[in-house]
């Protein structure tokens, strides 16, 4: 199946700094990518939908200035957590939708990034 | 609005015994339904999906699920659990109106020797 690579898998940063997480589709082009946040022992919460070459669409309650999303190419989307605080510590997962496909087929998920803010 | 409800937050079985993870859906039309598995600190892997074709869907690793419209259910089953099946399982539907996936709360499966 298609591969989505997420990097880094784990990151520890100091409070107040920014962290960038990359999501790459390795063997297909992804017009649309999704970013999720998962708290311990909870389900995935959609944060935003990013479309290549346009602004991301954020879910209600997600601060767009804090969670910056850039989808500059058909194979790369980045999530930057700006001025991170301990409450931003979480597991972040991206998924990618192949160009021309829709969610009724399959979205491919990255392996996730464990962010710890100290 | 489309939604899914996973009826059990935790399921514990012995190795070699059957697995049943329950999911009910709510939809105003024929839904698309998925089961994903997540191992600790990993992303999600698709086990199987239902998209209005055959009601009995076979997936990877011996899992299967049956779409029952009369019961609005899409339960995941496996005849014989293996230790490697221990993970978190998510029942997921597709919100066509909003072009996004809707996740159930998840069921944590434990498999004991």
């Amino acid at each position: 199946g298609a591969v989505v690579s997420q990097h880094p898998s784990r990151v520890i940063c100091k409070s107040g700094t920014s962290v960038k997480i990359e999501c790459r589709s390795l063997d297909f082009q992804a017009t649309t990518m999704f970013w999720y946040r998962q708290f311990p022992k909870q389900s995935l919460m959609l944060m935003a939908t990013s479309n290549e070459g346009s602004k991301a669409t954020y879910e209600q309650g997600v601060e767009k200035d804090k969670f910056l999303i850039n989808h500059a190419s058909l194979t790369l989307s980045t999530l930057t957590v700006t001025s991170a605080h301990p409450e931003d510590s979480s597991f972040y997962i991206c998924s990618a939708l192949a160009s021309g496909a829709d969610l009724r087929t399959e979205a491919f998920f990255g392996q996730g990034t464990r962010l710890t803010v100290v | 609005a489309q939604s899914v409800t996973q009826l059990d937050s935790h399921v514990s079985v012995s190795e070699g015994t059957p697995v049943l993870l329950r999911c009910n859906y709510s939809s105003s039309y024929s839904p698309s339904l998925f089961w994903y598995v997540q191992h600790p600190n990993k992303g999600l892997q698709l086990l199987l999906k239902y998209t209005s074709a055959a009601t009995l869907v076979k997936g990877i690793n011996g899992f299967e699920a049956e779409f029952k419209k009369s019961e609005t259910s899409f339960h995941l089953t496996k005849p014989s659990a293996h230790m490697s099946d221990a993970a978190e399982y998510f029942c997921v539907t597709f919100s066509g109106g909003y072009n996004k996936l809707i996740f159930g709360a998840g069921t944590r499966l434990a498999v004991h020797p």
Side-chain angles (χ1 to χ4, degrees), chain A residues 2-115:
Chain A
V3 177
V4 174
S5 176
Q6 197 172 332
H7 179 80
S9 58
R10 291 179 177 269
V11 58
I12 301 173
C13 71
K14 292 184 178 180
S15 186
T17 61
S18 295
V19 174
K20 180 184 286 188
I21 302 170
E22 293 186 347
C23 181
R24 293 180 184 273
S25 56
L26 296 186
D27 51 1
F28 66 100
Q29 294 185 329
T31 306
T32 304
M33 290 187 174
F34 303 87
W35 286 96
Y36 298 87
R37 182 173 182 176
Q38 185 180 30
F39 290 102
K41 299 184 180 181
Q42 293 189 27
S43 190
L44 278 70
M45 179 190 76
L46 180 65
M47 297 175 66
T49 301
S50 75
N51 292 294
E52 186 266 338
S54 63
K55 290 184 178 180
T57 302
Y58 289 82
E59 295 298 299
Q60 191 172 9
V62 178
E63 298 177 62
K64 63 179 181 180
D65 294 330
K66 181 167 188 61
F67 298 100
L68 299 179
I69 291 172
N70 184 282
H71 193 159
S73 78
L74 286 172
T75 59
L76 175 64
S77 176
T78 60
L79 168 68
T80 301
V81 183
T82 62
S83 186
H85 290 282
E87 57 265 30
D88 299 324
S89 299
S90 191
F91 195 59
Y92 293 87
I93 303 175
C94 71
S95 72
L97 196 60
S99 297
D102 63 40
L103 289 172
R104 289 171 293 184
T105 53
E106 181 179 354
F108 300 97
F109 287 81
Q111 66 268 46
T113 296
R114 171 75 59 194
L115 171 63

Side-chain angles (χ1 to χ4, degrees), chain B residues 81-103:
Chain B
H82 191 272
M83 296 296 290
S84 61
D85 294 327
E88 188 85 19
Y89 291 79
F90 293 99
C91 181
V92 182
T93 190
F94 164 68
S95 171
Y98 298 97
N99 194 31
K100 62 183 180 182
L101 296 177
I102 299 172
F103 287 79

